[in-house]
Amino acid sequence: MSPALAVLPDRPLPDRLGGAPDGKRSLRLWLRLLTCSTRIEQTVSQRLRDEFGSTLPRFDMLSALDRAGDAGLTMGEAAGMLMVSNGNVTGLAARLKTDGLIEAMAGTDRRVQRVRLTPQGRTRFTAMARAHEQWIEALFADLTRAEADDLTRLLERTKRSLHATTHEELNG
């Protein structure tokens, strides 16, 4: 474990906000989460470009289609899974089709386009997914199993809290 991760529970965390009062704890937490998330995303994006000539949105779309299997996804389903607009998914799907990685499926309603991975797309995604998993493992290698489990539990609790709070705001 790296010395930076060996912070004792009774020792205060370093404050890079110049002595911000304790009331800024949530802000510091959010900034640390954002910094970590952004750094991971930048690293994975760069590696996808360097090793596969791909982008993170392309990887995410292929991943969603891989999980969907032969049933494929509609553009709306894919947009919902990726949390982007239908227009973004439609453009992404068009480029993936041009590259031979996905194909349109025949359907009864021409207004609803359903797509799935081609065999070439499945092979390409499998290679990307293996590399992606190794990169993520390496990025979290300094965490012990217990630390990773604790962090996962805390982030899950945070996710539930966010969902409850934002759900109240949207419906309140």
Side-chain angles (χ1 to χ4, degrees), residues 141-169:
D142 282 348
L143 294 178
T144 66
R145 179 177 292 215
E147 288 169 334
D149 290 346
D150 288 345
L151 184 55
T152 299
R153 278 191 293 279
L154 288 169
L155 289 171
E156 183 57 38
R157 187 171 170 191
T158 302
K159 183 179 173 183
R160 286 192 308 268
S161 175
L162 291 170
H163 180 72
T165 302
T166 56
H167 183 72
E168 289 173 9
E169 290 174 3

Side-chain angles (χ1 to χ4, degrees), residues 34-54:
L34 183 61
T35 299
C36 289
S37 177
T38 300
R39 186 64 174 265
I40 292 166
E41 186 174 335
Q42 289 171 343
T43 300
V44 170
S45 291
Q46 185 64 50
R47 289 177 182 177
L48 283 169
R49 275 192 301 277
D50 292 349
E51 294 188 30
F52 295 98
S54 190

Side-chain angles (χ1 to χ4, degrees), residues 6 9 22 25-28 46 50-51 55 59 70 78 83 90 97 101 104 121-122 128 131 133 142 145 148 150 167:
D22 198 43
R25 181 179 319 223
S26 294
L27 178 59
R28 287 194 307 266
Q46 185 64 50
D50 292 349
E51 294 188 30
T55 65
F59 175 81
D70 287 335
M83 296 185 284
T90 301
K97 273 190 235 173
L101 301 178
R122 190 165 308 283
M128 292 168 73
E133 183 176 355
D142 282 348
R145 179 177 292 215
D150 288 345
H167 183 72

